[in-house]
Amino acid sequence: MLRVAVVGSGPSGIFTAQALVQQQSVPGVTVDVLDRLPCPYGLVRYGVAPDHEKIKSLQNNLRAALEHPAISFLGNVRVGDEAGGLAPRRLLDLYHAVVYCVGAATDRRLAVPGEDLPGSFSATEFVSWYSAHPDAEPGGFVLGARSAVVIGVGNVAVDVARVLARGADELRATDVPDAALAALADSRVADIHMVGRRGPGQAKFTTKELRELGALPGAEVLVGAEEAALDPAWSDPSGLPAVGRRNVEVLRGWAGQPARGLARRIRMRFFLRPVALLGEDAVRAVRFERTAPDEHGGVVGTGRFEDIEAQLVLRSVGYRGVPIPGLPFDPERGTVPHTGGRVLRDGVPSSGEYVAGWIKRGPTGVIGTNRSCAKETVTSLLSDAETLMARRPVGDPYAALRAAGQDPVRWPGWLGIEAAEAALGARLGRGPVKIPDWEGLLAAARDDQA
């Protein structure tokens, strides 16, 4: 029997576990899916916008995988040499193999003056807040702000702009935590500037996400045709990839339309590169340098600057992996060195250690991309199975975790959290509402595991 631990219960981790138990070449594979959080599903629970119900419904598929009899969920488990975590070498004693699927947990920084002023946040911090991540800081994001700047033109930037522009009544039917819903209801944000350093043809959002901005009741999208036309593809997008071409067509449909005086305005801005956040005690504006297209598909600075008023700045310029203490890490790429999913220590494959997902390839692709990524890693692992099974794991993993001071949340505990969130929503006259704090989550889990 091959005993495997998968660290991370987001899509890449669950797809890895599923591929392991569904394969036919090595019989009797069992998988423990470990996660630092007491809740499974990773970014599907804590990264997908609350009003994207179709994508969030992927949880049903991930749930079916975790209910497989050969797969066990163990949440609230810390892995790493520091902060009371279980060291990777010790974890490998308990299993024939360990697959790390820990994603990319932090944001890339702008590296400009004023970035850490109050009122400046990463988009991930904002998403975590309205998604009820237990590590999120409570509130302070929208109250009092009149103008918000979202730096970035990818899908995450579109998500945060859309949530800012939605009325609280529209979000009441979602699982947004009650405190965030109340803060959004009190929001005074009227202008949302979504800013990219390149042109419309290079924007990274998908057309479906982009079109959603134009369908928001009480909000309008404004695009300056003169600014957008700096992109050579603006007048003739036929040479762009299909997504870029459709994006330009949508933006051209909005360009030049007069403002209708709606409650909120989403202003799409292009060819502006942030150079500083301005303010003393808090952000009051973002200073941008005007850019222009170069001959290589990039941009160059023009030496002309523009300040955009903002009391709230959300930075959405990409994700980055963080090291797990005790595991090799490439600081330039933000990934774990590997070959075919096999972890490399000093350039040599480390027996029994593997990676999949963003920590393997970087923050690229969509949720479905993780399936093929997981398959490659599982193929490598299974080809090593004979060698791996020559070593006998020591002890019962659950008992070993308890002995190491961990308090794992098993599947019944997660079901207890689900039940508690349904009950919370019922008391508030809503559907299920997420519990936003560690104390509440662990209390709900223990009640069911007791």
Side-chain angles (χ1 to χ4, degrees):
M1 179 180 292
L2 181 66
R3 181 195 291 176
V4 181
V6 171
V7 182
S9 67
S12 64
I14 294 177
F15 290 156
T16 298
Q18 190 175 45
L20 282 165
V21 300
Q22 288 180 344
Q23 56 77 37
Q24 303 295 320
S25 60
V26 179
V29 177
T30 63
V31 182
D32 288 347
V33 177
L34 315 180
D35 202 289
R36 185 180 70 87
L37 298 173
C39 310
Y41 311 138
L43 283 179
V44 176
R45 176 176 167 90
Y46 288 121
V48 174
D51 56 345
H52 275 179
E53 296 181 4
K54 184 175 181 180
I55 303 176
K56 290 176 74 68
S57 69
L58 177 61
Q59 290 187 20
N60 297 329
N61 302 84
L62 301 178
R63 180 192 192 97
L66 288 178
E67 289 179 333
H68 190 285
I71 298 176
S72 299
F73 172 71
L74 295 173
N76 195 36
V77 172
R78 300 178 304 284
V79 174
D81 285 344
E82 299 175 356
L86 200 67
R89 291 296 192 189
R90 174 63 183 125
L91 188 61
L92 196 55
D93 289 339
L94 301 172
Y95 296 91
H96 292 107
V98 181
V99 186
Y100 292 90
C101 305
V102 294
T106 191
D107 289 78
R108 294 186 181 276
R109 292 179 61 81
L110 297 174
V112 301
E115 185 169 8
D116 294 319
L117 280 169
S120 169
F121 304 90
S122 71
T124 294
E125 291 174 297
F126 187 62
V127 171
S128 294
W129 171 68
Y130 68 61
S131 297
H133 194 293
D135 290 340
E137 292 293 329
F141 284 97
V142 294
L143 291 178
R146 302 178 305 278
S147 177
V149 167
V150 179
I151 301 174
V153 283
N155 278 347
V156 174
V158 173
D159 281 348
V160 299
R162 191 182 64 254
V163 169
L164 279 172
R166 275 203 186 279
D169 287 343
E170 300 169 62
L171 292 170
R172 197 174 305 279
T174 73
D175 59 6
V176 168
D178 213 45
L181 187 67
L184 290 166
D186 288 340
S187 170
R188 295 194 296 161
V189 173
D191 288 289
I192 302 160
H193 306 263
M194 190 171 164
V195 187
R197 64 184 179 87
R198 297 199 291 174
Q202 291 78 48
K204 298 299 184 182
F205 40 64
T206 57
T207 311
K208 179 180 180 296
E209 293 258 358
L210 178 62
R211 286 189 175 123
E212 287 178 345
L213 294 179
L216 295 173
E220 56 187 330
V221 182
L222 303 175
V223 180
E226 182 177 347
E227 179 178 79
L230 295 171
D231 188 341
W234 182 251
S235 59
D236 181 13
S238 61
L240 293 173
V243 173
R245 185 172 64 251
R246 290 193 295 267
N247 286 344
V248 170
E249 290 169 353
V250 172
L251 291 165
R252 285 172 60 182
W254 291 333
Q257 291 186 357
R260 292 175 288 160
L262 298 182
R264 292 187 173 94
R265 296 163 292 280
I266 302 171
R267 302 179 186 274
M268 306 292 294
R269 302 294 309 273
F270 298 100
F271 293 109
L272 292 171
R273 176 168 59 198
V275 295
L277 275 63
L278 307 178
E280 296 180 0
D281 298 328
V283 171
R284 63 173 178 80
V286 183
R287 176 159 295 166
F288 292 92
E289 181 182 16
R290 168 66 62 190
T291 62
D294 64 17
E295 297 177 353
H296 310 289
V299 293
V300 294
T302 65
R304 292 183 287 116
F305 299 89
E306 175 182 344
D307 294 351
I308 298 178
E309 178 194 353
Q311 298 81 40
L312 173 65
V313 177
L314 300 174
R315 313 177 307 267
S316 181
V317 293
Y319 292 99
R320 180 176 174 80
V322 296
I324 294 179
L327 204 65
F329 188 73
D330 180 344
E332 291 188 7
R333 295 175 56 86
T335 58
V336 171
H338 73 95
T339 178
R342 296 180 178 93
V343 171
L344 298 176
R345 289 185 180 270
D346 299 321
V348 178
S350 175
S351 180
E353 293 185 309
Y354 303 84
V355 284
W358 280 1
I359 199 63
K360 170 187 174 184
R361 67 182 192 275
T364 61
V366 295
I367 290 174
T369 310
N370 291 298
R371 193 179 294 277
S372 57
C373 178
K375 184 178 179 180
E376 180 192 51
T377 296
V378 167
T379 298
S380 295
L381 191 159
L382 293 174
S383 69
D384 301 338
E386 185 175 352
T387 301
L388 297 174
M389 288 191 292
R391 181 181 58 81
R392 184 184 296 274
V394 180
D396 172 66
Y398 181 77
L401 288 168
R402 297 280 295 180
Q406 307 261 7
D407 185 16
V409 170
R410 292 176 289 184
W411 190 249
W414 159 241
L415 297 182
I417 292 172
E418 281 193 318
E421 291 182 340
L424 173 60
R427 291 196 299 272
L428 297 171
R430 300 170 57 193
V433 172
K434 287 180 183 173
I435 297 171
D437 59 277
W438 279 97
E439 182 180 2
L441 290 169
L442 293 176
R446 292 188 187 108
D447 286 347
D448 206 81
Q449 291 189 146

